[in-house]
Amino acid sequence: MIRKYTFGIPFKTDAVVVDMSAAPLPLPLFNTKEENGLTFTYQMNPNDVVYGLGENIRGMNKRGFLYNSLCSDIPSQTEDKTALYGAHNFLIVAGKKPFGLFIDCPEQISFDVGYTDYNSLVIATAAADLDFYLLEEKTLKEIAHAFRVLIGKSYIPPKWGLGYQQSRWGYKNERDFYEVVERHQEKDIPLEAVYMDIDYMERFKDFTIDEEAFPNFDIMVADFKEKGIKLVPIIDAGVKIEEGYDIYEEGVENHYFCTDKSGQPFTAAVWPGRVHLPDVLNPEARKWFGNKYKFLTDKGIEGFWNDMNEPAIFYTEEGLKEAFDYLDSIHDANIGIYECFGMKDAVLNLANNPKDYARFYHYVNGEKIVHTKLHNLYGFNMTRAAAEGFEEIDPSKRFLLFSRSSYIGMHRYGGIWTGDNCSWWQHLVMNIKMMPSLNMCGFLYSGADLGGFGCDTSYDLLTRWLQFGIFTPLMRNHSALGTRPQELYQFEDSGYLRSLIRFRYSLIPYLYSEYMKCALRNELLFMPLGFEYTGDSIAAHTEDQLLYGSSLMLAPVYTQNAFGRYVYLPEDMLYVKYSGTGGRHFCVLDKGIHYLELTLEEFPLFIRRNQMLLLCHPDNTTETLDSSNLEIIAFADKSDYMSYELYDDDGYTKNIDLQKSSKIVLRKTAGKWGASSDNPHITFFDIHVITKQI
Ligand code: GLC
């Protein structure tokens, strides 16, 4: 049962798609206090597990820390941070009577999940106007499902969005892009897309192309397309202030930019220096900005990533003045401890300063609203602008779209990547733990910068990260300017990395099928063990294993120099050990704790009881992949029959219908297993049904 409790007059965020009237206050379960916003306190039991908060740092179980719901540009995702790029105010408290909650409010909120007092969940909102949704269902799965129904169906990418994608900040001209493609081809490494970071633009201006560096842009797009490879440009939130630049001039003329107090376009600074911010909260401005993507779709582009949309601000005029004034004031002083710290702070606090977010305004439905009140909706609406633009450009087609900043509701329009991580083992761990929380908030199309964005990667880190990344819907290797190049061909041992990417392509029939079923039925692709094995307290506290779709469990290796890892099996499972360049070994493992020996070039995969995994022959792009000729690996536990619902479609139109699923059946007759399907186009090239030897 879902109930909505309304406090004050909330802003309509469009996070929720189900219209429901408010239940009478007081809010049950919580102690509510109104004073400088609202404070909600809930008394937890010592063993309650708290899931959720979407894109965030720390564990799957959020207990013991304080989180801030405030979309932030965080160049260094260290453990002391309290917020990342998204604001996902959804939690599930898994206690005796589990419940979920969603606070629909775009202003800053803090979630003290047992940080001040281990047994108290204290939620403090800056605003007094909000909708508080309480979700009470019998199981955790049902709560997650009910929430997803409430917020509407997740974004569905084109199938090519599941292919392997290469990115790096620093590809500067056509030659660089051709080189990336050629070197993948030389090493026969599958490749689906190459990303264009800010350098493709003319002086970092959105919807422009640097014609000196890219004299034949359209030809390059077409050339790559012929090879089955897409180019995916970045779009930044800030629009450069430059006379004669059409986007800037149209924006000023039509009042499409956020304004300062006096009603003039507000000036901030990002990559190009001084910019204005499109007022994407204003429907007219949003429509205008969204239609600008046509400049690139007309050139054959079919996918985009939206960046710096928290929005990130390097500095503002006012901030700069304050910093320089301070520096001037100590110019002739004897600079001691306080001046020295003050000097550093004056410069470091220029970027993303809360004071600046209070200096600009949005016009929404005739009302002027200060940005801080709507802060968490900016990235959402920039991405919504693009998605609504695509609807006009070609309503029948699926475009690839994902964003850095987000709010719940944006999951209907695009995916997210998890921003500027580093080449640290700890960030591989964070990636693993974050996936189910993102799924709970509707973000199915997501993934981290594989190999790590900042800092220099190492072969072993990249290897382990890819061994997990082959399962994330967005599978993109991305790195920052100046870091060690990490395209797979940069490594002498690229043969093994290639085999991992080839495995990813074999997995696509299963991944696509599971993704689509989860998106259309509001289910989780990545699920914590505690959601399935209820009542199993070890499963409830297992943070480094994930259920993956209906058939699989993942147990990635995430430590350097690991000789293997411990794994907890909540029930008997089929252990598939992938080794070397594609070799595999099967064995059934009993419920319980096991140590798996795994060299760097080995990773484990588990098939659940009476479930099957379908794989196809790998290929170099999704376009050429034959997903109808399949191999089956199944674990038959005391059963002579099992079935799998396999979904497939053309992968690029919106002609999506689960009725098109095929039923794959495994049946044992006269001691022999055979496979069949109600779809005559599906054939099988290998069947392995493993049973437990007693
Ligand atoms: C931001 C993005 C990163 C991108 C860089 C340059 O830091 O998060 O992915 O490479 O900007 O555009």
Side-chain angles (χ1 to χ4, degrees), residues 12-17 52-55 69 71 85-91 101-106 111 133 147-148 150-152 376-377 379-381 384 405-414 416 437-443:
K12 201 176 164 319
T13 65
D14 291 340
V16 160
V17 295
L53 292 181
E55 184 184 30
S69 172
C71 297
Y85 307 87
H88 306 147
N89 309 332
F90 174 65
L91 278 183
L101 67 91
F102 171 52
I103 300 187
D104 192 8
C105 172
F111 290 87
Y133 292 86
F147 182 56
R148 294 269 301 283
L150 181 71
I151 59 175
N376 288 339
L377 291 177
F380 167 6
N381 281 280
R384 180 179 180 178
S405 185
S406 60
Y407 182 80
I408 289 172
M410 201 206 84
H411 70 286
R412 302 193 299 271
Y413 298 97
I416 53 174
S437 330
L438 291 175
N439 280 197
M440 285 173 214
C441 297
F443 294 97

Side-chain angles (χ1 to χ4, degrees), residues 604-619:
L605 194 63
F606 292 89
I607 300 179
R608 295 170 60 190
R609 290 169 57 227
N610 302 322
Q611 300 292 341
M612 62 180 96
L613 168 63
L614 301 163
L615 297 165
C616 67
H617 286 297
D619 212 327

Side-chain angles (χ1 to χ4, degrees), residues 169 197-198 234 271 305 307-308 404 417 420 449 453 478:
W169 176 11
D197 209 316
I198 45 176
I234 196 168
W271 307 117
W305 49 314
D307 192 20
M308 308 299 273
R404 195 170 73 173
W417 93 101
D420 298 351
D449 287 349
F453 173 73
H478 180 46

